[in-house]
Each structure stands twice: as structure tokens, then as C-alpha cells.
Amino acid sequence: MKSAVETLNPTRVRLSIEVPFEELKDSLDAAYKKINQQVTVKGFRKGKIPARVIDQRFGRGAVLEEAVNDALPKFYTDAVNEAELNVLGQPEVDITELKDGETLNFTAEVDVRPTIEIPDYSGIEVEVDAVEVTEEDIDKAVEQLRERFASTSPVERAAEDGDVVTIDLEAKVDGEVLEDGVAEGVSYTIGSGELLDGIDDAVKGLEAGGEATFGSELKGGSAAGKEAEVTVKVSQVAARELPELDDDFAQLASEFDTLEELRADSRKRLENMKQYDQATQAQERVLEKLLELVEVPVPEKLLEDEINTRKHNLEHHQLGQMGLDLEKYLEIQGKTVEEFDAETKEAAVKGIKTQFVLDELVSKEKLNVNQEELTEHLMRRAASSGMSPDQFAQAVVQNNQVQLLVGEVARGKALALVVESSTVKDTNGVLVDLDDEEDESDSAEQTEETPAAAEAAEEAPEAAAEDKNEA
């Protein structure tokens, strides 16, 4: 076999492959054997039909077609390996010449990973929000905790904002009661916004036994997005009573003896959260700066596939679970189809560039992934997917995605390396050391598990994540 490579552009090549006919012998033998098992010829036992008879009865062309289809993947893979190409996706194969007994010539056009030069990234500088916790922040956190320990007691008066009402609901569309449009004994806090639009105005002023009818667009169910006539009946009105903010409350709601200790703990927790947000912000902004430094050609076919994949996942998975279609989603978001398409393309381009750059960094810096890192990442992915670690691990193995997970961890480590080499200051001009924490293990976890690192590791396009050498 002979092969030559022609570079069509920075992300696509054409392989020209010449195969002497004698190298097709194994595939021809396999073709005759396969046809032998599929056909019946009078006078011959199944599987014992001579090759000359198959040629006469079914045509030599059928045998050649079967043999070529069997041989192409091997010769293509051999040519890819010989040229040391890092290919993406499936090739477009064209048989240019097939002479029986002489030669097989074909071409294969395929996308390849572009050559990327990683510049010195140690000069990257970014600014992030300062970690500042105010007394108002602490007041809000304590008040939210107080809300969780609120009690209710029935009252004999009209419902007001903040009251908890027990209600029955019946929804009609075009005068017909929906099968899934009836609910009884629903507990609802007026003003929470957790049910239908318009329900707050409908129930306010009603006493137990009162009812009202209002129009509302359904958010979910069989008639999601449709305008419905909703009847609400109030069976009970209960007032919410908040506990006093004192030491007794601190003992009720926490492990602390005093309100002062509870507030001190709230401050610490808020600081940790803001440090986490700060680390996330640092990673996002460092990644943006890094991508600006690197010229990354994007394969057109890969980009097209990634855009289609993102749209499919949104429409058939995310929106489907919410009972929405794309048209309704865009209406809620206040976006046009053109704006949505532009944003999807921009996100797809960023995802592809991110993977290419971080993968190149993994190679350049010779970053490895150990078993402990892989296990921790698997645990996090399992938690985010709602599966148990065992279930997630089994799915990964069954779908041959272990190397994908290894790549995700490696890309996360590459991004962390760039962040460590960058200068990060907060809005007060103070140098931020993302590793400077009291508990070093918590700091490491905080750096590796932020959404920016997860996105860089996991959101890379599926087509780019797997290099495929099969025709």
C-alpha cells in the first residue's frame, strides 16, 4: 500500500491511497465466504459454492464491492497511522479506481486537529470580585434560616401576602377540564411565585371556603404553554409565625448556643461561598485570556456537528423535561431565532477551541491523571447526573468512555496550571492567592470543582473528544 497526504486547509487533509490487488486477498476470501453463507445454489451444499460459480451466478462486481467495503477501514487506518495524523470524525471516502486483478485507488478527506502553538501564558492578568461579607449579607442569611423554622397556625380572616393557604385547583382549556389539571390539598405561600401566574391576586382576600377563577398560561403538563381558566378554592388560611432572633433560635436552628456564634458561622460560610465564586471567576477570565492568545482554526464539519448536538440536547432533553419547545423557550428568553443561532455557534466555537488548547497544554506540560483523580472526578460526575457512582461507572465502561473521563480530568488540570501561573487581583487591587486557605485540601477541591473548570473539562464537543480512525 502507498499513501500520500495533501493538506487542504489547517484542519482538513486528503489521503490518496493505492492498494495493490494482492493485498485485497484476505478481504476477497472473506467476501466469498460471506456470500457463501447467504445464498443457495442448486447442486451445492450451503457454504461450499465455488468462487467461479458465485462469480457466474451473482457477478464478480458483487464480490469486489463486499471485499472493498471490508478492506477500506484497514487501509485507511494504516494510512492515518503512517502519516501520524490526529483525525476527527469520519472520513469522506471516494473510490477513484478499481481494476480487477490490478489495483484499488481511493481518497479519504477528513478533519484533523490543527497544529496549535501555546505561547507563554505566565503574563496573564485578570481582575475578580473582592471577597467582602457585609452585615446585611449576614442578616439576609440568618433571615433565610429563620424562614425555614417558621411555624403556621390557622386564622379566621382573609388571606394576605405571606400567608400559607391550602387550596384545590382545577384547570380548563377550551372549556374542558384537563386530565392532569386537577390538584387537591396544595399548600401554597402567597407571594412565593411557585405556582401559576395570577394565583396571588386570586387568593388574596379570600377566606376559608372562598373560591375564584383566573386566567393563566400553564407552565407544564399536557397543555404547557396554553392559556387556561383556573378555579381555585381555599380550604384553609394559615399565618406564618417567625421565631424570635435570640439564643433560643440559635440552639433550635444550629449546633451553636448563642445568636452571636450563629452569625459568626454564617459569616464564615458566606466568605467560603464568595471565595468559591472568586475562584470560578478567576478560571473563567483566565481561560478567556488564554483563548485570546492562541490562534485556533476550527474544523467546519466539527463545528456544524457540535452546533447540531447542542441544539438537539436543548430541544429534546433540557426543554422536554421542562415541558417547553424551542419556540416557547425563545419567547421566555426574549430572543429571536437568529440571536439563538448566533449564541449557540459562539458557545460551540468556544467549546471546541477550549478543548484543543487545553489538550495541547496537557501534551506540552506532560500532565498525567492518576486513579485517585479519576475516581474523584467520576464521583462528581455521578452526583451531577443523579446516578450512583456504581451506576455511572458501569455506564462509562459500557459506553467505552473511560478515556473521555481521563481527558476531562486532564483538561481541568491544564486550566488549573494556567490559573496558577497567572496574576489574579481583586477589585481592591489585592493579589489573590487561590491556594492560600486555612485548609489546603478544601482549597484544592475548591479550585478543581468550580463550574469553570467543570465546563472546560466536560463541555468539549463529543466529536472532538474522540479521535476516530475508522472509515
Side-chain angles (χ1 to χ4, degrees), residues 155-287:
V155 292
E156 295 183 1
R157 60 167 173 76
E160 302 173 354
D161 270 327
D163 286 344
V164 179
V165 290
T166 303
I167 55 177
D168 298 335
L169 295 166
E170 181 184 85
K172 295 180 180 179
V173 173
D174 298 329
E176 297 291 330
V177 178
L178 299 172
E179 289 186 9
D180 56 352
V182 177
E184 297 180 348
V186 176
S187 180
Y188 175 66
T189 301
I190 300 175
S192 65
E194 295 175 352
L195 280 179
L196 300 168
D197 292 338
I199 193 169
D200 290 337
D201 291 337
V203 296
K204 277 192 295 187
L206 295 181
E207 298 183 12
E211 69 175 70
T213 300
F214 64 100
S216 182
E217 185 178 293
L218 300 179
K219 297 180 180 180
S222 61
K226 293 185 177 180
E227 189 71 20
E229 180 183 85
V230 183
T231 299
V232 55
K233 296 180 181 179
V234 177
S235 57
Q236 178 180 278
V237 178
R240 297 177 75 250
E241 298 177 0
L242 296 175
E244 293 293 328
L245 280 177
D246 52 23
D247 292 346
D248 289 339
F249 168 70
Q251 294 167 21
L252 170 69
S254 71
E255 70 272 30
F256 302 106
D257 293 327
T258 67
L259 184 61
E260 183 179 353
E261 291 174 330
L262 174 61
R263 289 180 63 86
D265 181 70
S266 296
R267 176 182 292 277
K268 183 177 180 180
R269 290 176 182 274
L270 289 170
E271 286 175 348
N272 288 339
M273 290 174 58
K274 286 180 179 287
Q275 286 168 350
Y276 178 87
D277 293 341
Q278 189 184 65
T280 300
Q281 196 176 62
Q283 288 180 326
E284 291 173 344
R285 294 182 178 179
V286 167
L287 178 59

Side-chain angles (χ1 to χ4, degrees), residues 125-418:
E125 296 184 7
V126 297
E127 184 180 75
V128 295
D129 294 337
V131 174
E132 297 175 342
V133 177
T134 66
E135 289 300 313
E136 288 75 13
D137 293 332
I138 299 173
D139 290 343
K140 183 177 179 181
V142 172
E143 188 63 25
Q144 289 174 343
L145 182 62
R146 187 184 178 205
E147 291 278 349
R148 288 169 51 190
F149 284 86
S151 60
T152 59
S153 56
V155 292
E156 295 183 1
R157 60 167 173 76
E160 302 173 354
D161 270 327
D163 286 344
V164 179
V165 290
T166 303
I167 55 177
D168 298 335
L169 295 166
E170 181 184 85
K172 295 180 180 179
V173 173
D174 298 329
E176 297 291 330
V177 178
L178 299 172
E179 289 186 9
D180 56 352
V182 177
E184 297 180 348
V186 176
S187 180
Y188 175 66
T189 301
I190 300 175
S192 65
E194 295 175 352
L195 280 179
L196 300 168
D197 292 338
I199 193 169
D200 290 337
D201 291 337
V203 296
K204 277 192 295 187
L206 295 181
E207 298 183 12
E211 69 175 70
T213 300
F214 64 100
S216 182
E217 185 178 293
L218 300 179
K219 297 180 180 180
S222 61
K226 293 185 177 180
E227 189 71 20
E229 180 183 85
V230 183
T231 299
V232 55
K233 296 180 181 179
V234 177
S235 57
Q236 178 180 278
V237 178
R240 297 177 75 250
E241 298 177 0
L242 296 175
E244 293 293 328
L245 280 177
D246 52 23
D247 292 346
D248 289 339
F249 168 70
Q251 294 167 21
L252 170 69
S254 71
E255 70 272 30
F256 302 106
D257 293 327
T258 67
L259 184 61
E260 183 179 353
E261 291 174 330
L262 174 61
R263 289 180 63 86
D265 181 70
S266 296
R267 176 182 292 277
K268 183 177 180 180
R269 290 176 182 274
L270 289 170
E271 286 175 348
N272 288 339
M273 290 174 58
K274 286 180 179 287
Q275 286 168 350
Y276 178 87
D277 293 341
Q278 189 184 65
T280 300
Q281 196 176 62
Q283 288 180 326
E284 291 173 344
R285 294 182 178 179
V286 167
L287 178 59
E288 290 174 0
K289 290 281 189 178
L290 178 63
L291 294 181
E292 290 174 4
L293 292 176
V294 187
E295 185 68 29
V296 185
V298 176
E300 291 183 9
K301 182 65 168 60
L302 180 64
L303 177 58
E304 178 184 342
D305 290 343
E306 177 64 11
I307 290 172
N308 290 336
T309 297
R310 287 172 181 259
K311 287 182 177 180
H312 177 84
N313 288 341
L314 175 65
E315 290 188 62
H316 298 280
H317 297 291
Q318 300 170 34
L319 296 184
Q321 294 176 356
M322 299 164 60
L324 299 174
D325 57 18
L326 183 59
E327 182 180 356
K328 186 61 183 177
Y329 169 75
L330 294 180
E331 180 183 330
I332 294 172
Q333 294 291 315
K335 296 177 183 176
T336 65
V337 173
E338 291 75 20
E339 289 171 336
F340 169 73
D341 287 343
E343 289 179 2
T344 303
K345 180 178 180 180
E346 181 181 357
V349 168
K350 182 180 178 182
I352 293 171
K353 287 184 174 182
T354 296
Q355 184 186 349
F356 284 171
V357 170
L358 294 183
D359 282 348
E360 184 65 27
L361 267 170
V362 169
S363 176
K364 178 181 178 181
E365 302 294 347
K366 298 180 173 56
L367 300 177
N368 297 313
V369 176
N370 60 42
Q371 186 61 47
E372 183 180 357
E373 292 168 334
L374 183 60
T375 300
E376 289 177 356
H377 183 64
L378 186 147
M379 299 281 282
R380 291 194 293 270
R381 287 293 305 275
S384 65
S385 67
M387 301 170 67
S388 72
D390 287 343
Q391 289 175 325
F392 188 81
Q394 185 177 9
V396 167
V397 173
Q398 288 177 345
N399 294 307
N400 297 317
Q401 292 182 328
V402 174
Q403 287 306 310
L404 291 182
L405 252 65
V406 171
E408 291 173 1
V409 178
R411 284 188 285 275
K413 293 180 69 172
L415 178 57
L417 184 67
V418 180

